[in-house]
Amino acid sequence: MKEDKEQFEEQKYEEPAPEDFLFDEEETEEDEKKKKRKSWFIRIVGLSIATLLVMQGVGTLFNHFSRDSIELARTSEELSEQEHIAAFKDAVVTVQGNTSRGTGFAIHPDGYILTNHHVIHQQNPLAISFPSGDLFHAEVIESNEELDIALLKVDGDNLPYLPIRERSALEQEEIYVVGNPLTQTQIVNNGEIINEEVPFQTMKISNSIFPGHSGSPVLSEEGEVVGVVYARSLSPLGSQEEGHGLAVPVERILAEIPELNQLIDSY
């Protein structure tokens, strides 16, 4: 009897554990709906990201293997079989900024590079890669927005370069363009000057021009620079006329950037 009484008193005065004060809240129907909505939202976001990545990959492949890319590569391969044209490519570089890529070319063995202003605008740092695999950091010496021409300098010497021709190009003169269009590099195509007026304020060329060609040299048959590609014109709506390439004539560049004349004299 005494033992029963002691057990009763122990049970009576035993302190409850902290866990005893906790209780499970019953999940309301509204809470359950919120969880489901959140789950679906996460799934949709994940699916959207995955879809965009797939589309980007497919777009890149399509761009690379598109008819234009294949035709450019075929023409370039045929032209590059000519030894003197293959040599032109040694001086044509890839200009890589933090968010964009374009073309440029060396104009002096000490590492002076010409390209477009819009290729290097707000792009920092700038990397220059030569076909040989040599990679350099580039400094902007001068950039002319109105002319859309930029002069860069890399710390190199005895680099391959393209000479600048001081006299103007002529209408129907045969020319070559070497650049990095679409996803390709070191692509050569041929064409001719199609302007009707001399001197040219803007050089119109028949060569096929695509994104990535900006900053490409327009070369004479002797490999001299007669212009710098900066854009392609669009055909008028409803017109069967094809667009054409646009380049800055070398005589305008020499007039606006006096440093180039000094570089030419130092060849």
Side-chain angles (χ1 to χ4, degrees), residues 134-172:
D134 291 334
L135 185 65
F136 300 92
H137 170 73
E139 175 188 359
V140 180
I141 301 299
E142 184 167 346
S143 193
N144 187 313
E145 182 176 3
E146 183 178 354
L147 195 62
D148 201 6
I149 291 293
L151 177 63
L152 314 179
K153 177 71 170 66
V154 301
D155 187 15
D157 52 42
N158 295 320
L159 296 173
Y161 70 96
L162 294 169
I164 293 178
R165 191 171 81 182
E166 297 182 67
R167 60 185 175 86
S168 302
L170 302 174
E171 184 185 355
Q172 297 184 336

Side-chain angles (χ1 to χ4, degrees), residues 47-234:
L47 183 61
S48 298
I49 293 173
T51 302
L52 286 172
L53 291 173
V54 171
M55 289 176 64
Q56 185 178 18
V58 171
T60 300
L61 287 174
F62 177 80
N63 195 26
H64 187 73
F65 295 107
S66 67
R67 183 176 62 180
D68 289 333
S69 291
I70 293 171
E71 181 62 24
L72 282 170
R74 184 191 64 79
T75 300
S76 180
E77 186 175 354
E78 290 178 357
L79 291 171
S80 297
E81 290 177 358
Q82 302 177 48
E83 187 175 348
H84 72 290
I85 294 179
F88 299 164
K89 300 164 65 174
D90 292 340
V92 178
V93 303
T94 299
V95 181
Q96 182 68 58
N98 55 326
T99 60
S100 70
R101 186 193 75 146
T103 304
F105 55 97
I107 58 169
H108 194 279
D110 289 343
Y112 289 92
I113 310 287
L114 270 186
T115 186
N116 288 140
H117 165 83
H118 76 261
V119 169
I120 59 93
H121 182 56
Q122 295 183 339
Q123 299 295 314
N124 191 35
L126 284 171
I128 302 295
S129 57
F130 279 78
S132 62
D134 291 334
L135 185 65
F136 300 92
H137 170 73
E139 175 188 359
V140 180
I141 301 299
E142 184 167 346
S143 193
N144 187 313
E145 182 176 3
E146 183 178 354
L147 195 62
D148 201 6
I149 291 293
L151 177 63
L152 314 179
K153 177 71 170 66
V154 301
D155 187 15
D157 52 42
N158 295 320
L159 296 173
Y161 70 96
L162 294 169
I164 293 178
R165 191 171 81 182
E166 297 182 67
R167 60 185 175 86
S168 302
L170 302 174
E171 184 185 355
Q172 297 184 336
E173 181 177 351
E174 295 292 324
I175 54 170
Y176 302 99
V177 167
V178 186
N180 306 315
L182 304 175
T183 58
Q184 304 180 80
T185 57
Q186 296 292 295
I187 295 298
V188 187
N189 64 25
N190 56 344
E192 65 178 23
I193 307 293
I194 57 177
N195 291 58
E196 296 179 355
E197 73 283 349
V198 177
F200 310 134
Q201 290 302 303
T202 297
M203 181 183 291
K204 300 174 185 176
I205 60 177
S206 64
N207 304 61
S208 298
I209 299 300
F210 296 95
H213 262 132
S214 293
S216 298
V218 180
L219 302 171
S220 68
E221 291 187 297
E222 296 74 33
E224 295 177 312
V225 179
V226 297
V228 180
V229 174
Y230 69 90
R232 177 186 178 180
S233 69
L234 298 177

Side-chain angles (χ1 to χ4, degrees), residues 235-236 238-242:
S235 303
S239 171
Q240 298 299 318
E241 180 184 349
E242 292 187 4

